[in-house]
Amino acid sequence: MSTFTELYHRAPEGEWAAPGRVNLIGEHTDYNLGFVLPIALPQTTRVQAARRTDGLLRLWSAQGGGPVTELRVDELAPGSVAGWAGYPAGVVWALRDAGHPVGGADIRLDSDVPSGAGLSSSAALECAVAAAYDDLYRLGLSAPELALLAQRAENAFVGVPCGIMDQMASMCCRPGAALFLDSRNLTVRQVPVDLGAAGLALLVLDTRVKHDLGDGAYAALRAGCEKAAALLGLPALRSLDAAGLPVALERLPDDLRPLVRHVVSENARVEAAVAALDAGDLAALGPILTAGHASLRDDYRVSCPETDLAVDAALAAGAHGARMTGGGFGGSVIALVDADAAEHVAAAVTAAFRAAGHTEPRTLTAVPAEGARRLR
Ligand code: GLA
Protein backbone atom coordinates (compact mmCIF):
# COMPACT_ATOMS: atom_id res chain seq x y z
CA MET A 1 0.00 0.00 0.00
CA SER A 2 1.42 3.38 -1.02
CA THR A 3 2.69 5.74 1.67
CA PHE A 4 2.19 9.51 1.50
CA THR A 5 5.85 9.95 0.52
CA GLU A 6 5.60 7.36 -2.26
CA LEU A 7 2.48 9.07 -3.61
CA TYR A 8 3.55 12.70 -3.36
CA HIS A 9 7.37 12.64 -2.91
CA ARG A 10 7.29 14.72 0.27
CA ALA A 11 6.17 14.41 3.87
CA PRO A 12 2.63 15.23 5.09
CA GLU A 13 2.19 18.31 7.27
CA GLY A 14 0.04 16.32 9.67
CA GLU A 15 -2.46 13.51 10.18
CA TRP A 16 -6.08 13.73 11.35
CA ALA A 17 -8.75 11.16 12.22
CA ALA A 18 -12.53 11.21 12.39
CA PRO A 19 -14.72 8.29 13.51
CA GLY A 20 -17.80 6.50 12.24
CA ARG A 21 -20.75 6.33 14.62
CA VAL A 22 -23.61 4.23 15.86
CA ASN A 23 -26.75 5.96 16.94
CA LEU A 24 -28.17 4.61 20.23
CA ILE A 25 -31.62 6.09 19.57
CA GLY A 26 -33.18 9.00 17.65
CA GLU A 27 -33.54 7.86 14.05
CA HIS A 28 -34.90 10.09 11.28
CA THR A 29 -35.35 12.83 13.85
CA ASP A 30 -32.39 15.04 12.91
CA TYR A 31 -33.87 16.53 9.73
CA ASN A 32 -37.09 17.07 11.71
CA LEU A 33 -34.97 19.21 14.07
CA GLY A 34 -35.37 16.70 16.91
CA PHE A 35 -33.11 14.75 19.27
CA VAL A 36 -30.45 12.11 18.56
CA LEU A 37 -28.06 10.14 20.80
CA PRO A 38 -25.09 8.73 18.86
CA ILE A 39 -21.72 7.45 20.05
CA ALA A 40 -18.49 7.54 18.05
CA LEU A 41 -16.88 4.24 17.08
CA PRO A 42 -13.21 3.44 17.58
CA GLN A 43 -13.06 2.92 13.78
CA THR A 44 -11.86 6.05 11.97
CA THR A 45 -10.93 7.57 8.64
CA ARG A 46 -7.41 8.97 8.70
CA VAL A 47 -6.22 11.85 6.53
CA GLN A 48 -2.58 12.67 5.90
CA ALA A 49 -2.34 16.01 4.15
CA ALA A 50 -0.06 18.80 3.00
CA ARG A 51 -1.08 22.11 1.42
CA ARG A 52 -0.39 22.96 -2.23
CA THR A 53 -0.04 26.46 -3.62
CA ASP A 54 -1.00 25.68 -7.24
CA GLY A 55 -4.74 25.11 -6.67
CA LEU A 56 -4.57 21.35 -7.20
CA LEU A 57 -6.39 18.92 -4.93
CA ARG A 58 -4.80 15.48 -5.19
CA LEU A 59 -6.57 12.59 -3.52
CA TRP A 60 -5.67 8.96 -2.96
CA SER A 61 -7.58 6.40 -0.92
CA ALA A 62 -6.24 3.09 0.37
CA GLN A 63 -9.75 1.65 -0.02
CA GLY A 64 -10.45 3.31 -3.38
CA GLY A 65 -7.64 1.33 -4.94
CA GLY A 66 -7.07 3.46 -8.04
CA PRO A 67 -4.45 6.05 -9.00
CA VAL A 68 -4.23 9.58 -7.51
CA THR A 69 -7.28 11.69 -8.45
CA GLU A 70 -6.30 15.21 -9.47
CA LEU A 71 -8.79 18.08 -9.35
CA ARG A 72 -8.59 21.88 -9.59
CA VAL A 73 -10.17 23.52 -6.53
CA ASP A 74 -11.48 26.44 -8.62
CA GLU A 75 -13.30 24.02 -10.93
CA LEU A 76 -15.10 22.06 -8.21
CA ALA A 77 -18.85 22.15 -8.76
CA PRO A 78 -21.74 20.12 -7.31
CA GLY A 79 -22.13 16.79 -9.06
CA SER A 80 -18.78 17.08 -10.86
CA VAL A 81 -16.85 14.43 -8.90
CA ALA A 82 -18.13 10.85 -8.80
CA GLY A 83 -17.42 8.15 -6.21
CA TRP A 84 -15.49 8.44 -2.93
CA ALA A 85 -13.51 11.50 -4.12
CA GLY A 86 -16.75 13.51 -4.12
CA TYR A 87 -16.77 13.61 -0.31
CA PRO A 88 -13.34 15.19 0.28
CA ALA A 89 -13.73 17.37 -2.82
CA GLY A 90 -17.16 18.43 -1.53
CA VAL A 91 -15.65 19.58 1.76
CA VAL A 92 -13.09 21.75 -0.06
CA TRP A 93 -15.88 23.11 -2.26
CA ALA A 94 -18.11 23.84 0.77
CA LEU A 95 -15.28 25.68 2.54
CA ARG A 96 -14.53 27.81 -0.52
CA ASP A 97 -18.22 28.39 -1.23
CA ALA A 98 -18.60 29.71 2.34
CA GLY A 99 -15.80 32.19 1.64
CA HIS A 100 -12.94 30.49 3.48
CA PRO A 101 -9.58 31.16 1.84
CA VAL A 102 -8.46 27.57 1.21
CA GLY A 103 -6.48 26.19 -1.70
CA GLY A 104 -5.30 22.76 -2.76
CA ALA A 105 -3.68 19.87 -0.91
CA ASP A 106 -2.14 16.46 -1.33
CA ILE A 107 -4.28 14.00 0.60
CA ARG A 108 -3.89 10.34 1.50
CA LEU A 109 -6.95 8.62 2.99
CA ASP A 110 -7.21 5.36 4.89
CA SER A 111 -10.20 4.02 6.80
CA ASP A 112 -11.36 1.09 8.88
CA VAL A 113 -14.97 2.31 9.11
CA PRO A 114 -17.03 -0.32 7.25
CA SER A 115 -18.64 1.41 4.25
CA GLY A 116 -22.28 0.92 3.29
CA ALA A 117 -23.00 -0.49 6.76
CA GLY A 118 -24.94 2.48 8.15
CA LEU A 119 -21.96 3.44 10.33
CA SER A 120 -21.32 6.85 8.71
CA SER A 121 -18.21 6.13 6.72
CA SER A 122 -19.04 9.17 4.58
CA ALA A 123 -19.30 11.53 7.56
CA ALA A 124 -15.99 10.15 8.89
CA LEU A 125 -14.37 10.94 5.55
CA GLU A 126 -15.87 14.43 5.33
CA CYS A 127 -15.05 15.32 8.93
CA ALA A 128 -11.46 14.07 8.77
CA VAL A 129 -10.86 16.27 5.71
CA ALA A 130 -12.67 19.22 7.33
CA ALA A 131 -10.51 18.91 10.47
CA ALA A 132 -7.34 18.71 8.35
CA TYR A 133 -8.26 21.79 6.30
CA ASP A 134 -9.26 23.73 9.43
CA ASP A 135 -5.80 23.16 10.91
CA LEU A 136 -3.74 23.46 7.73
CA TYR A 137 -5.36 26.68 6.61
CA ARG A 138 -5.70 27.99 10.21
CA LEU A 139 -9.43 28.65 9.88
CA GLY A 140 -10.21 28.33 13.59
CA LEU A 141 -13.71 26.96 12.94
CA SER A 142 -15.66 25.29 15.75
CA ALA A 143 -16.63 21.61 15.64
CA PRO A 144 -20.32 22.39 14.88
CA GLU A 145 -19.25 24.80 12.11
CA LEU A 146 -17.09 22.09 10.56
CA ALA A 147 -19.95 19.58 10.93
CA LEU A 148 -22.31 21.94 9.07
CA LEU A 149 -19.77 22.40 6.26
CA ALA A 150 -19.32 18.61 6.02
CA GLN A 151 -23.10 18.19 5.84
CA ARG A 152 -23.27 20.87 3.13
CA ALA A 153 -20.66 18.91 1.16
CA GLU A 154 -22.86 15.83 1.30
CA ASN A 155 -26.16 17.65 0.65
CA ALA A 156 -25.13 20.06 -2.07
CA PHE A 157 -21.99 18.55 -3.65
CA VAL A 158 -22.58 14.78 -3.42
CA GLY A 159 -26.36 15.14 -3.50
CA VAL A 160 -27.48 13.12 -0.46
CA PRO A 161 -30.08 15.04 1.62
CA CYS A 162 -28.82 13.74 5.01
CA GLY A 163 -29.43 15.48 8.34
CA ILE A 164 -26.75 16.74 10.72
CA MET A 165 -26.43 13.78 13.12
CA ASP A 166 -23.56 11.89 11.52
CA GLN A 167 -21.28 14.89 11.03
CA MET A 168 -22.00 16.22 14.54
CA ALA A 169 -21.28 12.77 15.99
CA SER A 170 -18.03 12.44 14.07
CA MET A 171 -16.88 15.94 15.06
CA CYS A 172 -18.16 16.25 18.65
CA CYS A 173 -18.32 12.82 20.36
CA ARG A 174 -16.16 12.14 23.43
CA PRO A 175 -14.81 8.85 24.79
CA GLY A 176 -17.12 7.24 27.32
CA ALA A 177 -20.12 9.38 26.39
CA ALA A 178 -23.09 9.55 24.06
CA LEU A 179 -23.79 12.84 22.32
CA PHE A 180 -27.26 14.17 23.21
CA LEU A 181 -27.81 16.53 20.31
CA ASP A 182 -30.68 18.90 19.78
CA SER A 183 -30.75 19.25 15.99
CA ARG A 184 -32.77 22.47 16.21
CA ASN A 185 -29.93 24.58 17.59
CA LEU A 186 -26.99 22.11 17.61
CA THR A 187 -26.63 22.26 21.39
CA VAL A 188 -24.99 19.14 22.76
CA ARG A 189 -24.58 17.42 26.10
CA GLN A 190 -22.09 14.63 26.71
CA VAL A 191 -24.00 11.88 28.53
CA PRO A 192 -21.71 9.32 30.25
CA VAL A 193 -22.21 5.72 29.07
CA ASP A 194 -20.15 3.24 31.07
CA LEU A 195 -21.23 -0.05 29.55
CA GLY A 196 -18.40 -2.00 31.18
CA ALA A 197 -19.28 -0.87 34.71
CA ALA A 198 -22.86 -2.02 34.11
CA GLY A 199 -21.64 -5.42 32.87
CA LEU A 200 -23.08 -4.66 29.45
CA ALA A 201 -21.80 -4.54 25.88
CA LEU A 202 -23.14 -2.99 22.69
CA LEU A 203 -22.96 -5.35 19.75
CA VAL A 204 -23.02 -3.95 16.22
CA LEU A 205 -24.22 -6.47 13.65
CA ASP A 206 -23.64 -5.37 10.06
CA THR A 207 -26.29 -7.21 8.05
CA ARG A 208 -24.20 -6.78 4.87
CA VAL A 209 -27.32 -5.53 3.11
CA LYS A 210 -26.14 -2.55 1.12
CA HIS A 211 -27.18 0.68 2.69
CA ASP A 212 -27.55 3.44 0.12
CA LEU A 213 -29.17 6.73 1.04
CA GLY A 214 -28.72 8.13 -2.45
CA ASP A 215 -31.45 6.05 -4.03
CA GLY A 216 -34.34 8.39 -3.31
CA ALA A 217 -36.14 6.54 -0.49
CA TYR A 218 -34.47 8.65 2.20
CA ALA A 219 -35.26 11.85 0.30
CA ALA A 220 -38.89 10.76 -0.09
CA LEU A 221 -39.25 10.17 3.67
CA ARG A 222 -37.69 13.51 4.44
CA ALA A 223 -40.04 15.22 1.98
CA GLY A 224 -43.01 13.44 3.59
CA CYS A 225 -42.06 14.80 7.02
CA GLU A 226 -41.63 18.30 5.65
CA LYS A 227 -44.99 18.11 3.92
CA ALA A 228 -46.66 16.96 7.16
CA ALA A 229 -45.08 19.82 9.10
CA ALA A 230 -46.26 22.30 6.46
CA LEU A 231 -49.82 20.90 6.54
CA LEU A 232 -49.81 21.30 10.33
CA GLY A 233 -48.43 24.84 10.09
CA LEU A 234 -45.28 23.88 12.02
CA PRO A 235 -41.67 24.86 11.24
CA ALA A 236 -40.69 21.18 11.73
CA LEU A 237 -42.17 18.02 13.27
CA ARG A 238 -39.99 18.65 16.32
CA SER A 239 -42.58 21.20 17.42
CA LEU A 240 -45.15 18.45 17.94
CA ASP A 241 -45.25 16.43 21.16
CA ALA A 242 -47.17 13.38 22.35
CA ALA A 243 -49.98 15.50 23.80
CA GLY A 244 -50.62 17.22 20.47
CA LEU A 245 -50.24 14.07 18.36
CA PRO A 246 -53.85 12.74 18.25
CA VAL A 247 -55.29 16.03 16.98
CA ALA A 248 -52.43 16.48 14.52
CA LEU A 249 -52.92 12.97 13.10
CA GLU A 250 -56.58 13.71 12.36
CA ARG A 251 -55.51 16.64 10.20
CA LEU A 252 -53.12 14.59 8.05
CA PRO A 253 -53.63 12.29 5.07
CA ASP A 254 -53.30 8.55 5.76
CA ASP A 255 -49.87 8.18 4.16
CA LEU A 256 -48.23 10.81 6.37
CA ARG A 257 -49.65 9.70 9.72
CA PRO A 258 -47.19 6.87 10.45
CA LEU A 259 -44.22 9.11 9.65
CA VAL A 260 -45.37 11.72 12.14
CA ARG A 261 -46.17 9.06 14.75
CA HIS A 262 -42.62 7.74 14.44
CA VAL A 263 -40.92 11.12 14.72
CA VAL A 264 -42.92 12.22 17.77
CA SER A 265 -42.50 8.90 19.60
CA GLU A 266 -38.80 8.68 18.66
CA ASN A 267 -38.03 12.10 20.14
CA ALA A 268 -39.68 10.93 23.37
CA ARG A 269 -37.57 7.75 23.27
CA VAL A 270 -34.37 9.80 23.07
CA GLU A 271 -35.42 11.77 26.13
CA ALA A 272 -36.28 8.54 27.96
CA ALA A 273 -32.91 7.04 27.00
CA VAL A 274 -31.05 10.10 28.29
CA ALA A 275 -33.01 9.89 31.56
CA ALA A 276 -32.05 6.21 31.90
CA LEU A 277 -28.37 7.00 31.29
CA ASP A 278 -28.46 9.93 33.72
CA ALA A 279 -29.96 7.60 36.34
CA GLY A 280 -27.19 5.06 35.68
CA ASP A 281 -29.82 2.48 34.67
CA LEU A 282 -28.24 1.29 31.44
CA ALA A 283 -30.31 -1.89 31.20
CA ALA A 284 -33.42 0.32 30.97
CA LEU A 285 -32.17 1.33 27.51
CA GLY A 286 -33.03 -2.14 26.22
CA PRO A 287 -36.83 -1.83 25.87
CA ILE A 288 -36.41 1.70 24.48
CA LEU A 289 -34.20 0.38 21.69
CA THR A 290 -36.62 -2.43 20.89
CA ALA A 291 -39.59 -0.04 20.81
CA GLY A 292 -37.59 2.20 18.48
CA HIS A 293 -37.09 -0.71 16.10
CA ALA A 294 -40.81 -1.52 16.04
CA SER A 295 -41.55 2.10 15.17
CA LEU A 296 -38.95 2.14 12.35
CA ARG A 297 -40.27 -1.18 11.04
CA ASP A 298 -44.02 -0.58 11.30
CA ASP A 299 -44.44 3.20 11.05
CA TYR A 300 -41.39 4.57 9.24
CA ARG A 301 -40.90 1.39 7.19
CA VAL A 302 -37.14 1.62 6.75
CA SER A 303 -36.39 -1.85 8.08
CA CYS A 304 -35.83 -4.91 5.88
CA PRO A 305 -36.07 -8.70 6.46
CA GLU A 306 -32.39 -8.97 7.42
CA THR A 307 -32.48 -6.19 10.02
CA ASP A 308 -35.72 -7.59 11.45
CA LEU A 309 -34.17 -11.06 11.65
CA ALA A 310 -31.04 -9.74 13.40
CA VAL A 311 -33.19 -7.88 15.96
CA ASP A 312 -35.47 -10.86 16.59
CA ALA A 313 -32.59 -13.35 16.84
CA ALA A 314 -30.64 -11.09 19.23
CA LEU A 315 -33.69 -10.65 21.47
CA ALA A 316 -34.43 -14.39 21.42
CA ALA A 317 -30.82 -15.02 22.47
CA GLY A 318 -31.22 -12.77 25.51
CA ALA A 319 -30.34 -9.23 24.37
CA HIS A 320 -31.87 -6.51 26.59
CA GLY A 321 -32.88 -4.62 23.47
CA ALA A 322 -32.04 -4.33 19.78
CA ARG A 323 -32.80 -2.15 16.80
CA MET A 324 -31.59 -1.11 13.39
CA THR A 325 -29.33 1.94 13.53
CA GLY A 326 -28.77 4.67 10.94
CA GLY A 327 -30.87 5.46 7.90
CA GLY A 328 -32.18 1.93 7.33
CA PHE A 329 -32.79 -0.09 4.15
CA GLY A 330 -30.17 -2.54 5.44
CA GLY A 331 -27.05 -1.49 7.28
CA SER A 332 -26.41 -2.38 10.91
CA VAL A 333 -28.33 -3.49 13.97
CA ILE A 334 -27.26 -2.73 17.54
CA ALA A 335 -27.97 -5.08 20.43
CA LEU A 336 -27.51 -4.26 24.12
CA VAL A 337 -26.31 -7.44 25.77
CA ASP A 338 -24.76 -8.69 29.01
CA ALA A 339 -21.03 -8.51 28.38
CA ASP A 340 -20.60 -12.22 29.09
CA ALA A 341 -23.40 -13.08 26.63
CA ALA A 342 -22.01 -11.05 23.70
CA GLU A 343 -20.46 -14.01 21.91
CA HIS A 344 -23.55 -16.14 22.41
CA VAL A 345 -25.85 -13.44 20.98
CA ALA A 346 -23.55 -12.79 18.01
CA ALA A 347 -23.38 -16.53 17.31
CA ALA A 348 -27.18 -16.83 17.52
CA VAL A 349 -27.68 -14.02 14.99
CA THR A 350 -25.06 -15.56 12.69
CA ALA A 351 -26.79 -18.95 12.93
CA ALA A 352 -30.17 -17.37 12.13
CA PHE A 353 -28.68 -15.65 9.06
CA ARG A 354 -27.10 -18.90 7.89
CA ALA A 355 -30.39 -20.76 8.33
CA ALA A 356 -32.22 -18.09 6.30
CA GLY A 357 -29.62 -18.23 3.52
CA HIS A 358 -28.34 -14.68 4.14
CA THR A 359 -24.70 -13.58 3.98
CA GLU A 360 -23.29 -13.83 7.51
CA PRO A 361 -23.27 -10.55 9.46
CA ARG A 362 -20.04 -8.83 10.41
CA THR A 363 -19.89 -8.22 14.16
CA LEU A 364 -18.09 -5.60 16.21
CA THR A 365 -18.38 -4.38 19.77
CA ALA A 366 -18.90 -0.64 20.14
CA VAL A 367 -17.40 1.43 22.94
CA PRO A 368 -18.01 5.19 22.91
CA ALA A 369 -14.87 6.64 21.36
CA GLU A 370 -13.39 10.03 20.51
CA GLY A 371 -14.54 12.46 17.81
CA ALA A 372 -12.39 14.12 15.13
CA ARG A 373 -8.86 15.00 16.20
CA ARG A 374 -5.32 15.67 15.04
CA LEU A 375 -3.08 12.62 15.42
CA ARG A 376 0.28 14.25 14.67
C1 GLA B 1 -28.57 8.83 7.96
C2 GLA B 1 -28.43 10.34 7.82
C3 GLA B 1 -28.65 11.03 9.16
C4 GLA B 1 -29.95 10.56 9.81
C5 GLA B 1 -30.06 9.04 9.79
C6 GLA B 1 -31.38 8.55 10.28
O1 GLA B 1 -27.55 8.32 8.78
O2 GLA B 1 -27.14 10.66 7.33
O3 GLA B 1 -28.64 12.42 8.99
O4 GLA B 1 -31.05 11.15 9.20
O5 GLA B 1 -29.83 8.51 8.50
O6 GLA B 1 -31.52 8.83 11.62
Side-chain angles (χ1 to χ4, degrees):
M1 198 172 350
S2 310
T3 64
F4 190 94
T5 313
E6 283 163 2
L7 291 164
Y8 301 119
H9 310 292
R10 60 181 179 141
E13 290 183 79
E15 181 169 359
W16 294 261
R21 62 96 188 94
V22 281
N23 189 17
L24 294 180
I25 190 80
E27 225 62 87
H28 292 277
T29 44
D30 59 354
Y31 52 81
N32 290 300
L33 306 190
F35 301 122
V36 297
L37 192 64
I39 61 171
L41 291 171
Q43 285 77 9
T44 60
T45 293
R46 270 101 44 213
V47 170
Q48 293 177 320
R51 282 165 294 178
R52 295 183 64 90
T53 52
D54 60 0
L56 285 183
L57 176 63
R58 301 204 291 176
L59 301 163
W60 185 86
S61 152
Q63 285 67 44
V68 170
T69 298
E70 196 169 290
L71 304 161
R72 290 206 54 85
V73 294
D74 55 4
E75 287 173 1
L76 294 174
S80 64
V81 184
W84 62 266
Y87 297 89
V91 170
V92 177
W93 170 82
L95 283 163
R96 289 171 59 86
D97 196 57
H100 298 293
V102 302
D106 287 336
I107 289 183
R108 179 189 188 278
L109 299 159
D110 196 359
S111 182
D112 60 354
V113 184
S115 76
L119 301 176
S120 290
S121 59
S122 16
L125 175 49
E126 293 151 10
C127 291
V129 172
Y133 256 72
D134 182 56
D135 272 353
L136 286 177
Y137 282 95
R138 301 191 165 70
L139 302 176
L141 296 169
S142 67
E145 284 170 329
L146 292 171
L148 283 166
L149 285 160
Q151 182 201 21
R152 175 122 208 279
E154 188 151 346
N155 289 172
F157 194 89
V158 180
V160 177
C162 64
I164 191 63
M165 167 169 70
D166 305 343
Q167 292 79 9
M168 280 295 285
S170 189
M171 287 304 312
C172 301
C173 278
R174 300 266 165 76
L179 187 80
F180 179 28
L181 166 68
D182 183 341
S183 305
R184 179 150 68 185
N185 50 20
L186 299 195
T187 52
V188 300
R189 178 155 76 84
Q190 304 288 342
V191 184
V193 183
D194 193 345
L195 292 162
L200 296 170
L202 190 68
L203 276 181
V204 179
L205 303 144
D206 170 11
T207 64
R208 315 289 281 270
V209 177
K210 178 102 181 76
H211 160 99
D212 186 357
L213 298 184
D215 67 359
Y218 181 92
L221 289 162
R222 183 173 178 157
C225 289
E226 284 163 3
K227 186 172 166 200
L231 288 171
L232 295 168
L234 300 171
L237 290 182
R238 155 64 181 281
S239 309
L240 192 62
D241 62 11
L245 185 61
V247 175
L249 291 180
E250 277 175 25
R251 294 173 54 198
L252 291 171
D254 285 349
D255 60 324
L256 297 181
R257 284 182 192 156
L259 300 186
V260 175
R261 206 158 47 216
H262 167 74
V263 172
V264 171
S265 63
E266 186 77 349
N267 277 324
R269 278 186 289 274
V270 178
E271 293 187 289
V274 170
L277 291 177
D278 282 341
D281 187 2
L282 271 65
L285 276 182
I288 301 174
L289 301 186
T290 306
H293 186 75
S295 182
L296 288 163
R297 181 191 60 212
D298 302 336
D299 273 346
Y300 221 70
R301 298 183 178 242
V302 291
S303 189
C304 66
E306 291 84 353
T307 46
D308 289 344
L309 179 62
V311 166
D312 292 344
L315 292 173
H320 294 281
R323 69 174 200 89
M324 52 149 278
T325 184
F329 316 107
S332 293
V333 161
I334 54 172
L336 185 68
V337 299
D338 288 330
D340 56 12
E343 269 178 43
H344 166 68
V345 174
V349 175
T350 302
F353 268 53
R354 210 178 290 141
H358 302 321
T359 307
E360 285 185 19
R362 196 167 21 202
T363 306
L364 50 106
T365 307
V367 283
E370 194 178 350
R373 63 215 178 253
R374 186 170 192 154
L375 298 178
R376 58 191 174 84

